[in-house]
Amino acid sequence: MQISDVRIFLAVAAGGTLSAAARRLDIGPMQASRRIAALEAELGVRLFHRTTRSLALTAEGEAFAPYAATLAEAEESARGALRPSGARASGLLRLTAPSVFGQAIVLPLLPSLLERHPDLRVDLDLSDRVQDIVGQGLDLALRVATLGDSELVARRLAANPRLLCAAPRYLRAHGTPATLADLERHQCIGLHAVARWPFVVGASLQRRRVDARVLTSSVDAARTAAVQGLGLAMLTFWDVHEHLRAGSLVRVELEDAAMEELSVWAVTPTRRYVPERVKVFLDALEDELVRLGG
Protein backbone atom coordinates (compact mmCIF):
# COMPACT_ATOMS: atom_id res chain seq x y z
CA MET A 1 0.00 0.00 0.00
CA GLN A 2 1.45 3.35 -1.06
CA ILE A 3 1.19 6.18 1.47
CA SER A 4 0.79 8.60 -1.44
CA ASP A 5 -2.34 6.66 -2.50
CA VAL A 6 -3.64 6.84 1.06
CA ARG A 7 -3.18 10.63 1.04
CA ILE A 8 -5.11 10.88 -2.22
CA PHE A 9 -7.90 8.79 -0.67
CA LEU A 10 -8.07 11.17 2.32
CA ALA A 11 -8.12 14.24 0.08
CA VAL A 12 -10.96 12.82 -2.05
CA ALA A 13 -12.91 11.82 1.07
CA ALA A 14 -12.56 15.35 2.48
CA GLY A 15 -13.30 17.21 -0.77
CA GLY A 16 -15.96 14.95 -2.25
CA THR A 17 -14.59 15.19 -5.81
CA LEU A 18 -11.51 14.00 -7.64
CA SER A 19 -10.92 17.43 -9.14
CA ALA A 20 -10.90 19.15 -5.74
CA ALA A 21 -8.51 16.55 -4.33
CA ALA A 22 -6.28 16.81 -7.39
CA ARG A 23 -6.06 20.60 -7.07
CA ARG A 24 -5.19 20.31 -3.40
CA LEU A 25 -2.44 17.77 -4.09
CA ASP A 26 -1.28 19.47 -7.29
CA ILE A 27 -1.81 16.40 -9.50
CA GLY A 28 -4.08 15.66 -12.44
CA PRO A 29 -7.61 14.23 -11.92
CA MET A 30 -6.79 11.19 -14.07
CA GLN A 31 -3.74 10.45 -11.94
CA ALA A 32 -5.86 10.75 -8.78
CA SER A 33 -8.45 8.38 -10.28
CA ARG A 34 -5.80 5.80 -11.19
CA ARG A 35 -4.25 5.90 -7.73
CA ILE A 36 -7.65 5.45 -6.05
CA ALA A 37 -8.29 2.47 -8.33
CA ALA A 38 -4.88 1.02 -7.41
CA LEU A 39 -5.64 1.41 -3.71
CA GLU A 40 -9.03 -0.30 -4.14
CA ALA A 41 -7.32 -3.16 -5.97
CA GLU A 42 -4.75 -3.46 -3.19
CA LEU A 43 -7.46 -3.58 -0.51
CA GLY A 44 -9.87 -5.68 -2.56
CA VAL A 45 -12.85 -3.41 -1.85
CA ARG A 46 -14.61 -0.43 -3.42
CA LEU A 47 -13.91 2.70 -1.39
CA PHE A 48 -16.18 5.19 -3.19
CA HIS A 49 -19.57 5.27 -4.85
CA ARG A 50 -18.93 7.14 -8.11
CA THR A 51 -21.32 9.44 -9.97
CA THR A 52 -20.63 11.82 -12.86
CA ARG A 53 -20.26 14.76 -10.44
CA SER A 54 -19.05 13.46 -7.09
CA LEU A 55 -17.89 10.54 -4.99
CA ALA A 56 -19.22 9.27 -1.68
CA LEU A 57 -17.56 6.83 0.69
CA THR A 58 -18.83 3.26 0.71
CA ALA A 59 -19.23 1.45 4.03
CA GLU A 60 -15.76 0.00 3.45
CA GLY A 61 -14.42 3.47 2.71
CA GLU A 62 -15.91 4.78 5.96
CA ALA A 63 -14.28 1.92 7.85
CA PHE A 64 -10.91 2.53 6.16
CA ALA A 65 -10.86 6.32 6.74
CA PRO A 66 -9.57 6.37 10.35
CA TYR A 67 -6.87 3.85 9.50
CA ALA A 68 -5.87 5.94 6.49
CA ALA A 69 -5.58 9.05 8.67
CA THR A 70 -3.43 7.15 11.16
CA LEU A 71 -1.14 5.87 8.39
CA ALA A 72 -0.67 9.36 6.94
CA GLU A 73 -0.09 10.90 10.37
CA ALA A 74 2.37 8.14 11.33
CA GLU A 75 4.44 8.74 8.22
CA GLU A 76 4.58 12.48 8.82
CA SER A 77 5.42 12.04 12.50
CA ALA A 78 8.20 9.60 11.63
CA ARG A 79 9.67 12.11 9.23
CA GLY A 80 9.32 14.86 11.82
CA ALA A 81 11.01 12.79 14.53
CA LEU A 82 14.00 12.19 12.26
CA ARG A 83 14.38 15.78 11.10
CA PRO A 84 17.19 17.80 12.68
CA SER A 85 16.11 20.00 15.58
CA GLY A 86 14.70 23.28 14.32
CA ALA A 87 13.63 21.84 10.97
CA ARG A 88 10.76 23.60 9.24
CA ALA A 89 7.21 22.30 9.21
CA SER A 90 5.58 21.65 5.86
CA GLY A 91 2.33 20.52 4.27
CA LEU A 92 -1.25 21.74 4.60
CA LEU A 93 -2.49 22.60 8.10
CA ARG A 94 -6.28 22.27 8.11
CA LEU A 95 -7.96 23.76 11.17
CA THR A 96 -11.19 25.34 12.33
CA ALA A 97 -11.69 28.12 14.87
CA PRO A 98 -14.57 30.31 16.13
CA SER A 99 -14.94 33.31 13.86
CA VAL A 100 -14.07 36.09 16.33
CA PHE A 101 -11.21 34.17 17.95
CA GLY A 102 -9.86 33.18 14.57
CA GLN A 103 -9.87 36.73 13.22
CA ALA A 104 -8.50 38.34 16.38
CA ILE A 105 -5.90 35.75 17.43
CA VAL A 106 -5.21 33.14 14.74
CA LEU A 107 -4.96 35.29 11.61
CA PRO A 108 -2.40 37.71 13.11
CA LEU A 109 -0.16 34.71 13.88
CA LEU A 110 0.06 33.53 10.29
CA PRO A 111 2.50 36.03 8.72
CA SER A 112 5.37 35.22 11.10
CA LEU A 113 4.48 31.50 11.23
CA LEU A 114 4.50 31.16 7.43
CA GLU A 115 7.69 33.20 7.19
CA ARG A 116 9.44 30.76 9.55
CA HIS A 117 7.97 27.76 7.71
CA PRO A 118 7.78 28.65 4.00
CA ASP A 119 6.68 25.13 3.02
CA LEU A 120 3.66 25.31 5.33
CA ARG A 121 0.19 26.11 3.98
CA VAL A 122 -2.94 26.87 6.03
CA ASP A 123 -6.60 26.09 5.36
CA LEU A 124 -8.52 27.98 8.07
CA ASP A 125 -12.27 27.50 8.52
CA LEU A 126 -13.83 30.26 10.64
CA SER A 127 -17.15 29.04 12.01
CA ASP A 128 -19.00 29.13 15.30
CA ARG A 129 -20.43 25.67 14.57
CA VAL A 130 -18.76 22.61 16.11
CA GLN A 131 -17.10 20.82 13.21
CA ASP A 132 -16.57 17.08 12.79
CA ILE A 133 -12.78 17.18 12.56
CA VAL A 134 -12.42 13.47 11.76
CA GLY A 135 -15.11 13.42 9.10
CA GLN A 136 -13.77 16.60 7.48
CA GLY A 137 -10.14 15.54 7.63
CA LEU A 138 -9.07 18.45 9.85
CA ASP A 139 -5.81 18.46 11.79
CA LEU A 140 -7.07 20.67 14.59
CA ALA A 141 -10.07 22.46 16.04
CA LEU A 142 -9.84 25.44 18.39
CA ARG A 143 -12.83 25.64 20.72
CA VAL A 144 -13.74 28.20 23.36
CA ALA A 145 -16.81 26.58 24.93
CA THR A 146 -17.43 23.75 27.36
CA LEU A 147 -16.34 20.47 25.78
CA GLY A 148 -18.74 17.55 25.61
CA ASP A 149 -17.81 13.91 25.96
CA SER A 150 -15.65 12.86 23.03
CA GLU A 151 -13.01 10.39 21.97
CA LEU A 152 -11.01 13.29 20.58
CA VAL A 153 -7.94 14.62 22.37
CA ALA A 154 -8.31 18.04 24.02
CA ARG A 155 -5.45 20.24 25.23
CA ARG A 156 -6.13 23.33 27.32
CA LEU A 157 -4.35 26.40 26.00
CA ALA A 158 -5.63 29.30 28.14
CA ALA A 159 -8.40 30.45 30.42
CA ASN A 160 -11.39 32.06 28.69
CA PRO A 161 -13.95 33.09 31.32
CA ARG A 162 -17.35 34.43 30.42
CA LEU A 163 -17.88 38.02 31.46
CA LEU A 164 -20.50 40.76 31.41
CA CYS A 165 -19.53 43.89 29.56
CA ALA A 166 -21.02 47.11 28.25
CA ALA A 167 -19.94 50.34 26.64
CA PRO A 168 -19.09 53.19 29.05
CA ARG A 169 -21.84 55.35 27.55
CA TYR A 170 -24.46 52.66 28.23
CA LEU A 171 -23.37 52.43 31.88
CA ARG A 172 -23.40 56.22 32.24
CA ALA A 173 -26.96 56.34 30.89
CA HIS A 174 -28.40 53.30 32.69
CA GLY A 175 -26.14 52.70 35.68
CA THR A 176 -23.98 49.67 36.47
CA PRO A 177 -25.77 46.54 37.74
CA ALA A 178 -24.46 45.27 41.07
CA THR A 179 -26.56 42.13 41.56
CA LEU A 180 -28.39 39.49 39.53
CA ALA A 181 -31.67 41.18 40.38
CA ASP A 182 -30.40 44.42 38.82
CA LEU A 183 -30.15 42.72 35.43
CA GLU A 184 -33.93 42.61 35.17
CA ARG A 185 -34.08 46.38 34.58
CA HIS A 186 -31.23 46.47 32.06
CA GLN A 187 -31.19 46.10 28.30
CA CYS A 188 -29.35 42.94 27.26
CA ILE A 189 -27.76 41.62 24.08
CA GLY A 190 -28.35 37.91 23.61
CA LEU A 191 -26.89 35.10 21.53
CA HIS A 192 -29.05 32.34 20.06
CA ALA A 193 -26.48 29.78 21.22
CA VAL A 194 -26.69 31.00 24.87
CA ALA A 195 -30.40 31.23 25.53
CA ARG A 196 -29.82 31.39 29.30
CA TRP A 197 -26.91 33.23 30.85
CA PRO A 198 -24.85 31.02 33.19
CA PHE A 199 -23.84 32.39 36.59
CA VAL A 200 -21.97 30.74 39.44
CA VAL A 201 -23.93 31.39 42.63
CA GLY A 202 -22.31 29.87 45.68
CA ALA A 203 -21.21 26.41 44.57
CA SER A 204 -23.84 25.94 41.86
CA LEU A 205 -24.16 26.96 38.23
CA GLN A 206 -27.46 28.72 37.54
CA ARG A 207 -28.75 29.53 34.06
CA ARG A 208 -31.03 32.55 33.91
CA ARG A 209 -33.12 33.73 31.00
CA VAL A 210 -32.66 37.40 30.18
CA ASP A 211 -34.94 39.70 28.24
CA ALA A 212 -32.75 40.47 25.24
CA ARG A 213 -33.46 43.72 23.43
CA VAL A 214 -31.04 42.62 20.70
CA LEU A 215 -30.71 38.93 19.80
CA THR A 216 -28.22 37.58 17.27
CA SER A 217 -26.53 34.39 16.14
CA SER A 218 -23.17 36.13 15.71
CA VAL A 219 -20.64 36.76 18.47
CA ASP A 220 -19.15 39.53 16.35
CA ALA A 221 -22.56 41.20 16.02
CA ALA A 222 -23.22 40.94 19.76
CA ARG A 223 -19.87 42.54 20.50
CA THR A 224 -20.51 45.34 17.99
CA ALA A 225 -23.94 45.98 19.52
CA ALA A 226 -22.35 46.24 22.96
CA VAL A 227 -19.70 48.68 21.71
CA GLN A 228 -22.50 50.78 20.19
CA GLY A 229 -24.10 51.11 23.62
CA LEU A 230 -27.15 48.91 23.00
CA GLY A 231 -26.89 47.02 26.27
CA LEU A 232 -25.09 44.45 28.39
CA ALA A 233 -23.53 41.45 26.65
CA MET A 234 -22.22 38.18 28.04
CA LEU A 235 -19.20 37.14 25.98
CA THR A 236 -15.90 35.42 26.69
CA PHE A 237 -12.61 37.11 27.50
CA TRP A 238 -10.94 36.41 24.15
CA ASP A 239 -13.97 37.79 22.31
CA VAL A 240 -13.51 41.24 23.87
CA HIS A 241 -9.96 41.48 25.27
CA GLU A 242 -8.93 44.14 22.74
CA HIS A 243 -12.02 46.25 23.48
CA LEU A 244 -11.47 45.97 27.24
CA ARG A 245 -7.89 47.14 26.78
CA ALA A 246 -8.98 50.01 24.52
CA GLY A 247 -11.80 51.04 26.88
CA SER A 248 -14.62 50.72 24.34
CA LEU A 249 -16.08 48.03 26.61
CA VAL A 250 -16.03 47.81 30.41
CA ARG A 251 -16.18 44.63 32.46
CA VAL A 252 -19.15 44.46 34.83
CA GLU A 253 -18.81 42.37 38.02
CA LEU A 254 -21.75 41.36 40.22
CA GLU A 255 -21.64 41.14 44.01
CA ASP A 256 -23.71 37.96 44.30
CA ALA A 257 -22.60 35.93 41.27
CA ALA A 258 -19.42 34.97 39.44
CA MET A 259 -18.93 34.11 35.80
CA GLU A 260 -18.56 30.63 34.36
CA GLU A 261 -14.93 29.61 33.79
CA LEU A 262 -14.27 28.42 30.25
CA SER A 263 -11.03 27.70 28.40
CA VAL A 264 -9.52 27.78 24.94
CA TRP A 265 -9.02 24.17 23.83
CA ALA A 266 -7.04 22.59 21.03
CA VAL A 267 -8.82 19.45 19.87
CA THR A 268 -7.03 16.88 17.71
CA PRO A 269 -8.14 13.51 16.34
CA THR A 270 -5.48 11.54 18.20
CA ARG A 271 -2.72 11.96 20.76
CA ARG A 272 -0.32 9.85 18.72
CA TYR A 273 1.33 10.89 15.49
CA VAL A 274 0.66 14.60 15.89
CA PRO A 275 2.00 16.25 12.69
CA GLU A 276 4.83 18.72 13.00
CA ARG A 277 2.66 21.41 11.37
CA VAL A 278 0.20 21.12 14.27
CA LYS A 279 2.96 21.28 16.88
CA VAL A 280 4.56 24.45 15.50
CA PHE A 281 1.18 26.16 15.17
CA LEU A 282 0.14 25.34 18.74
CA ASP A 283 3.50 26.49 20.10
CA ALA A 284 3.05 29.83 18.33
CA LEU A 285 -0.55 30.14 19.51
CA GLU A 286 0.31 29.42 23.15
CA ASP A 287 3.12 31.98 23.06
CA GLU A 288 0.70 34.57 21.67
CA LEU A 289 -1.95 33.84 24.31
CA VAL A 290 0.63 34.24 27.06
CA ARG A 291 1.85 37.50 25.50
CA LEU A 292 -1.67 38.89 25.37
CA GLY A 293 -2.27 38.00 29.00
CA GLY A 294 -4.52 34.92 28.70
Side-chain angles (χ1 to χ4, degrees), residues 116-137:
R116 292 195 305 273
H117 303 276
D119 295 326
L120 182 65
R121 294 175 295 134
V122 177
D123 183 342
L124 174 60
D125 172 65
L126 295 180
S127 172
D128 293 322
R129 294 179 290 109
V130 175
Q131 307 285 9
D132 176 7
I133 65 173
V134 175
Q136 296 188 31

Side-chain angles (χ1 to χ4, degrees), residues 76-99:
E76 184 159 348
S77 291
R79 292 180 184 276
L82 297 173
R83 289 190 190 108
S85 177
R88 294 170 176 171
S90 62
L92 178 64
L93 173 65
R94 301 188 68 227
L95 72 153
T96 180
S99 55

Side-chain angles (χ1 to χ4, degrees), residues 167-176:
R169 59 176 168 171
Y170 172 84
L171 297 176
R172 286 194 298 269
H174 301 274
T176 301

Side-chain angles (χ1 to χ4, degrees), residues 166-169 223 226-229 240 242-250:
R169 59 176 168 171
R223 182 181 62 186
V227 171
Q228 291 175 338
V240 296
E242 291 179 334
H243 294 78
L244 294 175
R245 185 170 298 171
S248 55
L249 289 175
V250 175

Side-chain angles (χ1 to χ4, degrees), residues 144-267:
V144 298
T146 303
L147 295 183
D149 293 335
S150 173
E151 295 181 357
L152 302 174
V153 178
R155 168 179 161 187
R156 184 180 181 275
L157 301 178
N160 190 36
R162 294 190 191 276
L163 53 86
L164 284 177
C165 59
R169 59 176 168 171
Y170 172 84
L171 297 176
R172 286 194 298 269
H174 301 274
T176 301
T179 66
L180 282 171
D182 290 343
L183 294 181
E184 296 179 3
R185 59 180 178 80
H186 276 270
Q187 300 167 12
C188 296
I189 301 163
L191 284 166
H192 290 299
V194 189
R196 295 176 180 270
W197 284 5
F199 296 96
V200 179
V201 180
S204 65
L205 182 66
Q206 297 183 10
R207 300 187 183 275
R208 300 202 174 195
R209 185 174 295 280
V210 296
D211 184 16
R213 186 181 188 190
V214 175
L215 186 63
T216 178
S217 61
S218 165
V219 171
D220 190 29
R223 182 181 62 186
T224 299
V227 171
Q228 291 175 338
L230 299 183
L232 292 163
M234 178 178 282
L235 298 167
T236 66
F237 172 77
W238 288 108
D239 294 330
V240 296
H241 75 283
E242 291 179 334
H243 294 78
L244 294 175
R245 185 170 298 171
S248 55
L249 289 175
V250 175
R251 189 169 187 164
V252 174
E253 299 192 47
L254 302 179
E255 298 171 357
D256 56 352
M259 298 295 104
E260 183 182 24
E261 290 289 338
L262 301 177
S263 298
V264 178
W265 296 91
V267 181

Side-chain angles (χ1 to χ4, degrees), residues 36-56:
I36 290 294
L39 182 60
E40 290 178 327
E42 174 72 22
L43 294 171
V45 297
R46 182 180 290 274
L47 297 172
F48 292 99
H49 295 296
R50 291 166 172 79
T51 69
T52 56
R53 294 187 177 181
S54 64
L55 295 88

Side-chain angles (χ1 to χ4, degrees), residues 12-66:
V12 174
T17 66
L18 279 170
S19 58
R23 284 195 301 272
R24 178 179 299 169
L25 298 173
D26 197 24
I27 61 175
M30 288 301 297
Q31 182 182 356
S33 180
R34 287 195 298 270
R35 298 321 307 164
I36 290 294
L39 182 60
E40 290 178 327
E42 174 72 22
L43 294 171
V45 297
R46 182 180 290 274
L47 297 172
F48 292 99
H49 295 296
R50 291 166 172 79
T51 69
T52 56
R53 294 187 177 181
S54 64
L55 295 88
L57 287 171
T58 63
E60 291 79 9
E62 294 276 6
F64 178 62

